[in-house]
Amino acid sequence: MKALMFGWEFPPHILGGLGTASYGLTKGIFENGDMDITFVIPKPMGDEEKTFAKIIGASNTPVAWRDVSWDYVQQRQGHVMDPQTYFDLRDHIYADFNYLNVNDLGCIEFSGKYPQNLMEEINNYSIVAGVIARTAQFDVIHSHDWLTYPAGIHAKQVSGKPLVIHVHATDYDRSRGNVNPTVFGIEKDGMNQADHIITVSEHTRRTVIEKYGISPDKVSTVHNAVEPLPEDYLKIEKTPRKEKIVTFLGRITMQKGPEYFVEAAAMVLKKVHNVRFVMAGGGDMMEKMIRLAARRGISDRFHFIGFLRGKEVYEMYKNSDVFIMPSVSEPFGIAPLEAMQMGVPSIISKQSGCAEILSNVIKVDYWDVNEMANAIYSIITYPAMFRQLQERGLEEVGQIVWKKAGTKVINIYKKLTKL
């Protein structure tokens, strides 16, 4: 079976959990066997893993004819895409898009991030999808998150193939209910046009059904998972220190509930002093959190270390005694699973999707800072509790693998394609 996937992020260049989940699921699908996957991203860098998916960059796909040589294409973008793919795509340009300010290869430039002109990039991405859908061979289309829904819809219109959209989050989660009407409209259109919808948790499934008016029969939950850690990550050593470390790692936005972490930290520090709190990540609430920590008088024990990437993330986990994810509305939340892989006891909000599948963690309401503080205090104070959460957590997370999630997705594909 052949799948055409559209995504906005793909490791090693990621800005959040979307890229990690897209990578893990794609690999998990491939590991089930008999799957041929083409994965489209806005701007590949050339160092993406290609053993289980063919990567096509929207920024490398011509939408306007250019009379260029093989050698020139090889020189310009051979490090990210086979020149033959460029010429195959060029044969399927379906309109004159020179007005879009294309480059010397007839391609639209993409940032590969989330720029100020994001809506323009989403529209351009859907234009590129039309060329790819006319060129690639596939049985099913799979669009990851709202940014790629228009591309998936266009590919469906071109090919007549069934469309699966994957809801990694909704704007209700990101905005605490104060939705952006433009984003909501894109999400709703994607859900209406899709032949099937996959959500990352039952929490998200209920949101899709209740907030977007989608029939329950059309929506299935496939929980996220984690990749087994490479050997060099497992060999990371903990830096010896007398103080305990409690870590928040994620986007510092209102969806993630960072203010509750700061408030809980202040409460813990009234009881004990041999503990430091770390907030790793970036976001529009960082400055506000810095000021809040200062108002609570804990700035000397509260550290903002910025965005971490790759192995840095796991080095932070390894040096943590507690990981906490106090999200207000978390569709899933892979970070606690990653922390558990490194043997870190985790505290998660009951409002997170991963709470549906995790047992060996402490679950609290995001707003209950008293309970959150008590949980932190207990883990860093009682060694037996720490060891129990650590050992059982490692055992549990070892069973949550992407191949199982991939099996569920393939079964959805088979129902839609009758293959």
Side-chain angles (χ1 to χ4, degrees):
M1 187 184 298
K2 300 178 187 293
L4 174 61
M5 285 195 180
F6 293 99
W8 207 257
E9 297 183 17
F10 200 82
H13 306 282
I14 61 173
L15 298 169
L18 174 61
T20 302
S22 297
Y23 174 93
L25 182 65
T26 306
K27 188 174 182 181
I29 291 171
F30 179 81
E31 287 173 350
N32 278 272
D34 196 28
M35 282 298 308
D36 184 343
I37 304 166
T38 298
F39 201 106
V40 184
I41 54 176
K43 186 179 181 179
M45 298 298 177
D47 54 354
E48 293 83 8
E49 187 175 342
K50 303 176 183 68
T51 57
F52 55 86
K54 178 182 180 181
I55 304 294
I56 292 182
S59 58
N60 309 114
T61 300
V63 296
W65 181 272
R66 293 291 184 271
D67 186 11
V68 290
S69 69
W70 178 284
D71 289 342
Y72 187 69
V73 176
Q74 174 69 42
Q75 175 190 339
R76 287 279 283 107
Q77 61 179 37
H79 65 294
V80 294
M81 192 166 77
D82 179 3
Q84 185 59 53
T85 302
Y86 170 88
F87 288 106
D88 291 343
L89 291 163
R90 193 183 66 172
D91 290 341
H92 294 91
I93 295 170
Y94 58 94
D96 182 1
F97 292 108
N98 279 293
Y99 69 91
L100 288 173
N101 190 30
V102 294
N103 64 17
D104 58 326
L105 291 175
C107 303
I108 305 170
E109 300 285 354
F110 287 85
S111 68
K113 299 180 181 179
Y114 299 88
Q116 289 293 320
N117 66 330
L118 180 59
M119 293 302 170
E120 180 184 348
E121 290 214 347
I122 291 170
N123 180 67
N124 289 344
Y125 187 75
S126 70
I127 290 172
V128 172
V131 175
I132 295 171
R134 286 170 169 84
T135 309
Q137 298 297 311
F138 56 94
D139 303 299
V140 64
I141 306 156
H142 191 147
S143 286
H144 290 278
D145 223 37
W146 69 278
L147 305 106
T148 72
Y149 295 169
I153 292 169
H154 192 181
K156 177 182 177 178
Q157 292 168 340
V158 167
S159 66
K161 302 296 185 181
L163 169 64
V164 175
I165 68 164
H166 206 124
V167 184
H168 293 265
T170 70
D171 206 44
Y172 278 91
D173 301 299
R174 291 183 291 266
S175 66
R176 289 192 188 177
N178 185 27
V179 294
N180 179 318
T182 301
V183 176
F184 176 86
I186 293 173
E187 291 177 329
K188 184 74 164 68
D189 190 39
M191 293 174 192
N192 288 339
Q193 299 286 340
D195 295 279
H196 201 79
I197 299 167
I198 297 175
T199 59
V200 295
S201 63
E202 285 297 315
H203 165 83
T204 306
R205 183 173 184 269
R206 288 191 297 271
T207 300
V208 167
I209 294 166
E210 296 168 7
K211 301 295 186 182
Y212 294 82
I214 304 300
S215 169
D217 295 338
K218 192 177 174 178
V219 193
S220 300
T221 294
V222 177
H223 289 103
N224 285 338
V226 282
E227 275 279 291
L229 293 178
E231 194 65 30
D232 58 328
Y233 283 32
L234 294 172
K235 291 180 178 178
I236 295 172
E237 294 187 4
K238 189 169 186 173
T239 304
R241 59 167 55 86
K242 294 181 180 179
E243 296 174 312
K244 303 293 184 180
I245 301 293
V246 181
T247 299
F248 169 111
L249 192 152
R251 288 180 291 111
I252 306 176
T253 62
M254 63 180 178
Q255 179 193 350
K256 301 294 184 179
E259 67 269 39
Y260 303 106
F261 177 62
V262 177
E263 298 291 4
M267 296 182 73
V268 172
L269 286 167
K270 288 179 181 178
K271 290 185 176 182
V272 292
H273 298 286
N274 67 327
V275 56
R276 292 185 180 274
F277 292 82
V278 174
M279 184 167 278
D284 57 10
M285 286 185 69
M286 179 184 281
E287 187 176 336
K288 185 177 180 181
M289 293 304 99
I290 293 171
R291 292 198 301 268
L292 179 59
R295 286 201 305 273
R296 295 292 177 264
I298 60 172
S299 294
D300 60 329
R301 291 274 157 184
F302 203 104
H303 308 275
F304 296 86
I305 62 173
F307 190 81
L308 301 179
R309 290 178 173 82
K311 195 173 183 180
E312 294 175 332
V313 171
Y314 291 89
E315 289 170 344
M316 186 68 248
Y317 288 143
K318 188 66 176 182
N319 283 287
S320 301
D321 298 280
V322 182
F323 175 80
I324 184 161
M325 187 180 74
S327 298
V328 175
S329 180
E330 184 71 54
F332 185 79
I334 290 177
L337 280 70
E338 295 172 336
M340 292 163 71
Q341 284 183 299
M342 296 300 289
V344 187
S346 295
I347 302 167
I348 63 175
S349 72
K350 294 177 181 178
Q351 291 73 26
S352 56
C354 63
E356 298 168 10
I357 63 168
L358 292 177
S359 300
N360 294 287
V361 295
I362 296 179
K363 304 172 189 179
V364 300
D365 288 305
Y366 71 86
W367 44 262
D368 195 341
V369 292
N370 286 292
E371 192 63 28
M372 203 179 295
N374 288 337
I376 294 169
Y377 178 81
S378 297
I379 294 171
I380 64 175
T381 303
Y382 302 111
M385 184 176 186
F386 175 92
R387 284 194 301 273
Q388 180 176 336
L389 287 169
Q390 180 184 57
E391 293 168 5
R392 292 185 180 178
L394 273 167
E395 182 179 351
E396 180 176 32
V397 78
Q399 303 301 312
I400 305 173
V401 295
W402 280 114
K403 187 175 181 180
K404 293 179 181 178
T407 302
K408 295 178 182 178
V409 172
I410 290 172
N411 288 335
I412 291 170
Y413 290 171
K414 288 179 178 178
K415 288 180 182 178
L416 293 175
T417 60
K418 305 295 191 295
L419 293 177

